């Protein structure tokens, strides 16, 4: 998709008093990756994979990163952050003498699924098979990970827990790392990885480039920025505490025993793939099982499934063999699938931030999407609180049973008097 518009970005170096850099407005006009100072080999890989037009976060982050500057970027989910740090890494690896057994680039991420997707994206983008990569995550066999490290992987893509374990056992060297990426750092901190990040960072060279990406700059994120970044270029794309404008937000007031029927109606009424979020592991299994029994192609992903099962479910959903993926919040930030047409909050998220991360799975990279939130009558207060926090207003529908439909269907206004628009 071509973005033929002027991208408003905010860039400024950190102040000497170590406060967070205050963004200032500047205008950057970038319509093609070819406008960046990229090597012919990397441009060939971008062209081969039909990457032509940078997203706003890519337009803002790539130029200072190519100059060797630290970068602090806040942006909504699905804005193309992965490419914005992989491109500078590939360029750096091309220019660096990478002989020897140690890695020269490190990417830290919060979840296995996200790490696996970043590793796969790097393999697509790299310009030479000499640019080797090791995936270092929990839940997978150590042997393949250690073999990749011993063969001299130049990039390590890791979750903090497993990487710290390898460091303690002296199984990996990080003393030659030239570029560090902290992706979704707010999520890593939420998961309790701050001590692990600190211990990992202590083993890295002081003279390095650091690229930091976060959905928010609240709480401990500020401490991380002040501790690890040096005069970063500051990129802020839109509001990071609000769903993307290209996602249509709907909410349905529905009784608990009508949720499944409403979900099945939406599946019948609308096209495209569905990502359905539920609160519990048991709920994910139950909803997926009922959908399958009803003739829908559904699978599920949650913490009690083995890593191989989670990988298989995600791959099947990504490749379109399953139309519906039912997930708990463990997958909210680990899923990067470009074709999700509809997100359904089958269970109301606990906090506004979870709502943003769930909804961010659709409407990615400027595509349109739909997000439907099911809320019980008793949850209307919680729903309004989410709306106030995010300064949004969803299209409201109320699902009711009629003698004609006998509660079998729930349709938006104009199709049947079962789901009535309330405002």
């Amino acid at each position: 998709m071509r973005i033929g518009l002027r991208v408003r970005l905010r860039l400024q170096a950190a102040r000497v008093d170590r406060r967070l850099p205050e963004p200032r407005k500047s205008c950057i006009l970038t319509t093609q990756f070819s406008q960046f100072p990229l090597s012919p080999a990397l441009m060939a890989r971008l062209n081969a994979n039909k990457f032509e037009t940078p997203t706003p976060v890519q337009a803002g982050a790539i130029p200072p990163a190519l100059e060797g500057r630290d970068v602090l970027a806040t942006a909504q989910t699905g804005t193309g952050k992965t490419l914005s740090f992989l491109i500078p890494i590939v360029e750096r690896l091309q220019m660096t003498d990478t002989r020897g057994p140690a890695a020269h680039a490190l990417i830290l991420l919060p979840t296995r699924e996200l790490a696996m997707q970043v590793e796969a994206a790097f393999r697509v983008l790299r310009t030479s098979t000499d640019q080797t990569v090791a995936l270092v995550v929990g839940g997978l066999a150590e042997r393949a990970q250690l073999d990749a490290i011993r063969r001299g992987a130049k990039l390590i893509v890791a979750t903090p827990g497993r990487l710290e374990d390898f460091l303690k056992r002296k199984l990996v060297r990080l003393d030659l790392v030239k570029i560090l990426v902290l992706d979704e750092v707010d999520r890593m901190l939420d998961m309790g990885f701050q001590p692990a990040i600190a211990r990992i960072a202590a083993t890295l060279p002081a003279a390095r480039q650091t690229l930091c990406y976060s959905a928010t700059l609240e709480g401990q994120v500020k401490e991380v920025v002040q501790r690890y970044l040096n005069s970063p270029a500051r990129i802020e794309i839109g509001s990071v505490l609000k769903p993307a404008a290209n996602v249509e937000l709907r909410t349905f007031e529905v009784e608990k025993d009508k949720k499944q029927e409403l979900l099945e109606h939406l599946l019948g009424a609308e096209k495209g793939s569905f990502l359905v979020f539920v609160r519990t592991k048991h709920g994910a299994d139950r909803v997926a099982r009922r959908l399958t029994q009803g003739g829908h192609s559904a699978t599920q992903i949650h913490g009690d499934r083995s890593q191989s099962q989670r990988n298989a479910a995600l791959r099947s959903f990504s490749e379109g063999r399953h139309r519906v993926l039912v997930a708990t919040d463990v997958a909210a930030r680990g899923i990067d699938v470009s074709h999700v047409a509809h997100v359904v909050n089958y269970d109301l998220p606990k906090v506004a931030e979870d709502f943003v991360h769930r909804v961010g799975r659709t409407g990615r990279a400027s595509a349109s999407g739909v997000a439907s939130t099911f809320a019980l009558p008793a949850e209307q207060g919680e729903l309004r609180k989410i709306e106030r926090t995010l300064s949004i207003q969803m299209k409201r529908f109320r699902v009711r049973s009629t003698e004609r439909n006998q509660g079998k269907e729930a349709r938006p206004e104009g199709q049947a008097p079962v789901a009535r628009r309330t405002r």
Side-chain angles (χ1 to χ4, degrees), residues 139-161:
L140 297 178
E142 286 188 4
R143 169 172 272 182
Q145 300 177 41
L146 292 173
D147 285 348
I149 291 170
R150 292 177 183 130
R151 288 194 298 268
K154 304 311 173 192
L155 168 65
I156 293 177
V157 180
T159 51

Side-chain angles (χ1 to χ4, degrees), residues 20-21 70-74 210 212-213 217 225 229 232-236:
L20 285 180
D70 286 1
V71 169
L72 170 61
T74 50
T210 302
C212 180
Y213 295 78
L217 289 180
V225 171
L229 274 70
R234 173 79 170 90
I235 294 93
E236 182 178 339

Side-chain angles (χ1 to χ4, degrees), residues 120-285:
F122 174 78
R123 291 183 181 276
V124 167
L125 200 63
R126 64 183 177 179
T127 57
S128 167
T129 54
D130 291 336
Q131 296 164 7
T132 48
V133 57
L135 180 68
V136 177
V137 297
L140 297 178
E142 286 188 4
R143 169 172 272 182
Q145 300 177 41
L146 292 173
D147 285 348
I149 291 170
R150 292 177 183 130
R151 288 194 298 268
K154 304 311 173 192
L155 168 65
I156 293 177
V157 180
T159 51
R162 174 58 64 88
L163 182 60
E164 186 185 24
D165 175 57
F166 283 3
L167 281 171
K168 288 178 179 177
R169 293 156 60 191
K170 296 182 169 47
L171 298 174
V172 61
R173 284 179 54 190
L174 300 177
D175 56 304
L176 293 182
V177 168
K178 303 294 192 302
I179 181 168
L180 167 67
V181 175
L182 300 172
D183 190 23
E184 300 205 358
V185 67
D186 54 326
R187 179 61 170 163
M188 287 196 283
L189 297 178
D190 288 344
M191 295 171 68
F193 284 133
Q194 193 277 336
I197 293 172
R199 287 188 284 266
I200 291 168
T203 68
L204 304 177
R208 67 172 187 271
Q209 181 182 15
T210 302
L211 312 179
C212 180
Y213 295 78
S214 179
T216 69
L217 289 180
E218 303 300 322
Q220 289 182 306
V221 177
K222 294 182 180 179
E223 299 175 18
V224 168
V225 171
Q226 293 169 349
R227 186 171 184 178
Y228 302 123
L229 274 70
N230 180 32
S231 298
R234 173 79 170 90
I235 294 93
E236 182 178 339
I237 307 298
S239 170
V240 298
L241 286 176
K242 195 170 184 177
N246 49 301
V247 177
E248 179 184 351
L249 302 177
R250 309 171 181 170
T251 179
F252 294 84
E253 182 180 325
V254 57
E255 296 291 346
K256 186 175 182 179
D257 62 352
K258 300 301 179 188
K259 283 185 177 183
Q260 189 80 22
E261 295 169 3
L262 175 57
L263 175 59
E264 294 197 34
H265 165 70
L266 292 176
L267 284 165
E270 304 197 15
K271 298 179 180 180
S273 59
F274 275 59
L275 177 55
V276 179
F277 282 104
V278 296
R279 191 168 292 163
T280 67
K281 303 166 187 175
H282 174 71
D285 288 332

Side-chain angles (χ1 to χ4, degrees), residues 267 274 288 291-299 316-317 320-326:
L267 284 165
F274 275 59
L291 287 175
T292 301
Q293 291 171 348
H296 300 281
S297 177
T299 187
S316 178
F317 181 63
R321 286 181 281 115
H322 281 99
R323 184 189 177 197
V324 185
L325 178 63
V326 185

